[in-house]
Amino acid sequence: MVDDLLAMANDEIASLIPSNFFVDGSAVSGKKVSEAASLDQETLYKAVLKALGDEDAKIRGGGQGIALHMEAQFIMSKIHHYLDTDGDGEQDADRADRTAASMALVIGGVANRLGDVEVAKSTVNRIAALLACPSLDVQTACAVGISRAIKVLPAEQGTETLNHYLSGLGTEDAATVAFGIAGVVKGVTSKALCSHGVLDRLEEAVNDKKDAKKRETALRTYQALSLVLKNIFEPYAGNVLPQIIAKLGDKVAQVKAAAEDAFKDFTSLLSNYSLYAVMPIVGRALGDSASTSWQARVFCLNFVESKVVAARRQVTSISQSIVPSVIESLSDTKAEVQTAAKSALTTIGNELITSPEMKAMVDPIVSAIISPGDMTNPCVEKLMDVTFMNPIDRPCLALMVPVLRRGLTEKRNEDKRRALLVVGNMCGLVIDGKELIPYVPAIMPDLVACVKDSSPEMRHYGATALAAFLKGMAAAHLEQRFENLAEELQKLQKEIVSTDNSVKTAAERKLQELIDLASDQATKTHHTEEEVKADLERLKLEEEEKQRQEIEAAEAAKQMEIEEESRAEVSEYALRQKAIQEEEKRKEEEKKELEKQAREDAKKQAEADKLRAFKKFQEEQKAAMLKHQRAKKKK
């Protein structure tokens, strides 16, 4: 029954046990606790001890829940004995570590339940002694146990304990200091990170170029804070993560290893929503190859790739800011960085692009980005053959634009023409114009250069693509303003190469005005109600003027139509009369034909009747002659 009791884990105990007594959210039911209380303490402890080291986390949680409600002095003495004897003869090292971790949580919870300052203080010291254990799980559990006991101590004693651990940076065991700080901070509340200067002390230690031990301990502390505080530590990513990244290439092996562990644990515990703040940090690190070691760049690229699958929606939203950094890493001098970048870029394409037709283009696009000299034109040719049926999304743009930009700078006009056609098709399928705005600095100069090309054909295709790009950026309520943009650009592309300098200058000025107008309206970060109202009012006036001109043109056309109708009425009347006469003639002929047919039918009928009468007469004559012959024979 005890084994069954310890295997139970649910939330029913919430009404009986304060939440701060729970261990990782696990507890046993109130009914089972009361059953356990009626058992012999020694018998119960044996079962609890077995549960505390079990591989199943639920069973361990159940054992911890029951242990928390055993008689305090009894369970504390048993746990102290177990710890003092290094497991009381336990041969299984893994079970011993799990048991020790559970006991750290239990005695911290019991000290919290008792509320005795002296007991809590001795418990903190007792748990701290376990921090020397090399097991990360034990160290993490110890920090949580310390946090439970530290809540009982007066605020000044909690601060004193925290300062004691901070003073050990670089002088004491790294794990003891790191998880000790994490446990006290969790117990005192995370505000201590700033109010007690913890982060400032850690940053100072991380940047200590002379003391490798300090750097290692500070990095281990960041790791411990991540494991113990979990998402509570996320808001400090902007300050902490750059420090960790900077030490991933440290020349001292222990520091480098500590940075790697801190990076892995810190990033693995981040929530998906924190990526909006974290990814730009990673992107800046990838872009700053002078300050970021190649090892750090590999870690950053692997992190990006891992989050593409784990946080697809968030990475999609920020793909425009991170993909360029990944692409830049493809040309890194280190083969390891190039390999990681290629893998990340391929994963981004395969996982984030939703358009079915563009998924098939991921490999050609990635190849074109990796080998622009050889693969750009083949990729653009394949894009030309794609029948776009679905919208172009943000990750797709992030991958396509570098290829198209390269295509627009090719020497052969045919290559540039293909790229321009793809740009025009692409812009027409971008649902939200804001998606194009980040690419204005990258692609706009190349489009303008095509509009100014010496070849009339290139100018034509360039004007069409530029019009599509500018119109694609427009806010929804301003799209109407750009209806005639293509027509205006087509006119300008003829004048922009005029031999007359005044005409050429005027055309260039007009071209820039159109670009500025479109860009200004499209790149507004926000459209206030007043701006939208003014835009719509202006568009309304333009539309009214356009409608007035259309009405006047329609009235003139209608007048001409009336005159045409008047001239045609006479001939139309004559045609109608002629048609009537022809119809009457046709009916008369039909009538005569019917009468003739009737006479012929009557004549045929009379002849048939006459033939039947003659046949009848013949039959009667024949019958009479037979009758006469019979009568003559009788005589």
Side-chain angles (χ1 to χ4, degrees):
M1 183 192 74
V2 174
D3 288 342
D4 293 337
L5 165 66
L6 295 171
M8 296 298 294
N10 55 50
D11 295 329
E12 294 177 19
I13 199 172
S15 60
L16 300 177
I17 304 175
S19 60
N20 63 327
F21 290 167
F22 292 1
V23 180
D24 294 335
S26 299
V28 292
S29 68
K31 180 180 178 182
K32 298 298 181 181
V33 169
S34 62
E35 289 180 10
S38 64
L39 297 174
D40 176 68
Q41 292 288 292
E42 286 288 348
T43 303
L44 182 59
Y45 172 70
K46 291 179 181 179
V48 167
L49 180 62
K50 181 180 178 182
L52 294 180
D54 199 276
E55 293 182 355
D56 190 327
K58 287 187 176 181
I59 295 179
R60 291 200 303 275
Q64 294 161 17
I66 292 176
L68 283 169
H69 289 77
M70 294 178 68
E71 199 278 319
Q73 186 175 356
F74 174 82
I75 192 64
M76 291 287 261
S77 64
K78 286 292 185 181
I79 290 177
H80 287 167
H81 171 75
Y82 180 93
L83 297 176
D84 290 338
T85 58
D86 292 330
D88 201 13
E90 177 63 64
Q91 299 299 315
D92 187 337
D94 291 336
R95 170 175 281 277
D97 284 346
R98 290 193 294 270
T99 304
S102 296
M103 287 181 169
L105 293 167
V106 170
I107 60 176
V110 172
N112 185 290
R113 175 163 65 91
L114 293 175
D116 187 285
V117 173
E118 291 302 320
V119 172
K121 192 172 181 179
S122 63
T123 300
V124 169
N125 294 331
R126 189 69 189 81
I127 296 175
L130 288 175
L131 289 173
C133 177
S135 170
L136 194 63
D137 291 335
V138 174
Q139 293 166 350
T140 303
C142 287
V144 176
I146 289 173
S147 73
R148 298 182 184 281
I150 209 77
K151 292 179 184 292
V152 178
L153 301 180
E156 59 274 12
Q157 290 190 24
T159 302
E160 182 181 341
T161 305
L162 180 59
N163 288 331
H164 165 72
Y165 282 119
L166 287 171
S167 64
L169 286 169
T171 59
E172 298 181 16
D173 176 66
T176 300
V177 173
F179 285 91
I181 291 174
V184 176
V185 167
K186 183 176 176 65
V188 175
T189 74
S190 60
K191 293 180 180 179
L193 289 169
C194 295
S195 61
H196 291 64
V198 175
L199 291 180
D200 292 337
R201 295 280 294 276
L202 292 176
E203 183 175 2
E204 181 182 349
V206 165
N207 294 321
D208 191 327
K209 296 180 180 179
K210 296 181 180 180
D211 194 335
K213 186 67 176 179
K214 275 190 177 182
R215 298 200 299 275
E216 178 193 359
T217 307
L219 290 166
R220 292 293 179 193
T221 304
Y222 285 146
Q223 178 190 13
L225 289 168
S226 301
L227 293 170
V228 175
L229 299 182
K230 299 185 184 300
N231 62 321
I232 298 176
F233 196 49
E234 278 186 9
Y236 306 98
N239 182 49
V240 172
L241 190 56
Q243 298 176 42
I244 298 175
I245 292 174
K247 299 306 172 185
L248 286 169
D250 198 283
K251 295 179 179 179
V252 179
Q254 292 85 345
V255 177
K256 181 173 177 290
E260 290 176 357
D261 292 339
F263 184 88
K264 290 175 183 176
D265 288 329
F266 184 74
T267 55
S268 66
L269 294 170
L270 290 172
S271 68
N272 291 346
Y273 293 102
S274 68
L275 296 181
Y276 294 114
V278 170
M279 278 298 185
I281 297 172
V282 173
R284 286 193 293 272
L286 288 173
D288 187 7
S289 57
S291 302
T292 308
S293 66
W294 69 266
Q295 296 96 329
R297 296 199 293 279
V298 170
F299 267 88
C300 289
L301 289 166
N302 292 337
F303 167 70
V304 171
E305 183 173 4
S306 68
K307 291 302 179 182
V308 167
V309 179
R312 184 177 286 103
R313 184 165 64 88
Q314 288 75 18
V315 178
T316 295
S317 298
I318 54 180
S319 58
Q320 291 172 332
S321 61
I322 195 65
V323 170
S325 297
V326 176
I327 292 174
E328 186 178 345
S329 299
L330 290 169
S331 57
D332 198 277
T333 55
K334 285 288 185 179
E336 294 87 344
V337 178
Q338 294 178 14
T339 301
K342 181 179 179 180
S343 178
L345 198 63
T346 303
T347 302
I348 288 171
N350 289 327
E351 296 293 335
L352 300 188
I353 292 178
T354 57
S355 170
E357 55 267 23
M358 286 308 300
K359 273 188 174 293
M361 289 298 300
V362 170
D363 289 339
I365 289 175
V366 172
S367 297
I369 294 173
I370 295 172
S371 305
D374 299 326
M375 304 304 297
T376 296
N377 291 331
C379 178
V380 175
E381 287 180 13
K382 290 181 179 179
L383 286 170
M384 280 280 294
D385 295 334
V386 174
T387 302
F388 292 101
M389 301 294 291
N390 296 278
I392 299 294
D393 52 20
R394 190 173 295 185
C396 191
L397 275 175
L399 292 177
M400 285 180 68
V401 168
V403 178
L404 295 175
R405 184 182 180 188
R406 171 79 183 194
L408 292 174
T409 58
E410 290 290 330
K411 293 181 179 180
R412 293 177 64 242
N413 284 346
E414 180 61 21
D415 297 332
K416 287 194 287 189
R417 182 184 70 83
R418 293 194 188 99
L420 289 167
L421 288 172
V422 175
V423 169
N425 293 336
M426 174 188 74
C427 294
L429 290 167
V430 176
I431 301 300
D432 188 350
K434 292 181 181 178
E435 305 290 351
L436 290 172
I437 294 173
Y439 302 106
V440 171
I443 205 168
M444 187 68 73
D446 297 322
L447 292 175
V448 172
C450 290
V451 176
K452 297 180 179 181
D453 196 276
S454 58
S455 167
E457 182 185 28
M458 283 300 99
R459 293 199 302 275
H460 168 74
Y461 285 114
T464 303
L466 180 59
F469 192 88
L470 293 175
K471 185 179 178 181
M473 289 194 302
H477 73 284
L478 291 172
E479 286 185 359
Q480 183 180 337
R481 176 66 182 79
F482 299 95
E483 288 298 330
N484 299 324
L485 185 61
E487 187 178 325
E488 295 180 56
L489 287 172
Q490 290 292 351
K491 293 177 182 178
L492 286 175
Q493 56 96 11
K494 297 177 182 179
E495 300 174 359
I496 208 161
V497 291
S498 172
T499 54
D500 187 334
N501 285 333
S502 61
V503 174
K504 181 178 179 180
T505 302
E508 289 183 343
R509 183 172 61 251
K510 180 62 175 175
L511 174 64
Q512 192 58 48
E513 288 175 358
L514 288 174
I515 293 174
D516 291 343
L517 172 65
S519 299
D520 179 61
Q521 292 182 342
T523 56
K524 286 180 180 178
T525 305
H526 300 287
H527 291 277
T528 63
E529 292 184 8
E530 292 76 12
E531 288 175 330
V532 173
K533 186 176 180 181
D535 289 337
L536 294 176
E537 185 64 29
R538 184 172 63 257
L539 291 172
K540 181 180 178 182
L541 293 175
E542 292 177 359
E543 183 63 23
E544 288 176 353
E545 177 62 22
K546 183 178 178 181
Q547 289 177 357
R548 185 185 64 77
Q549 294 175 357
E550 290 176 351
I551 290 172
E552 290 179 354
E555 289 178 350
K558 186 175 182 180
Q559 183 62 33
M560 291 180 65
E561 184 180 349
I562 292 172
E563 292 176 358
E564 287 290 333
E565 289 177 354
S566 297
R567 287 193 294 270
E569 276 184 0
V570 175
S571 58
E572 186 179 352
Y573 175 77
L575 290 173
R576 285 201 301 271
Q577 290 299 317
K578 184 178 180 180
I580 291 172
Q581 291 174 1
E582 289 178 351
E583 181 66 16
E584 290 177 350
K585 184 179 179 180
R586 185 184 61 78
K587 289 181 178 180
E588 186 65 28
E589 290 177 352
E590 287 181 356
K591 182 178 180 182
K592 290 180 180 180
E593 187 66 28
L594 290 172
E595 290 175 351
K596 181 180 178 181
Q597 185 66 38
R599 286 195 298 271
E600 289 179 356
D601 292 343
K603 184 178 179 180
K604 290 179 180 179
Q605 184 64 38
E607 290 177 352
D609 291 344
K610 186 177 180 180
L611 180 61
R612 283 196 298 273
F614 178 71
K615 287 181 178 181
K616 184 177 181 182
F617 172 74
Q618 286 181 332
E619 290 175 355
E620 289 176 351
Q621 287 296 320
K622 185 178 180 180
M625 286 181 69
L626 290 172
K627 184 178 181 184
H628 177 70
Q629 289 175 359
R630 292 191 194 101
K632 189 176 179 181
K633 286 180 179 181
K634 287 182 180 180
K635 288 181 181 182

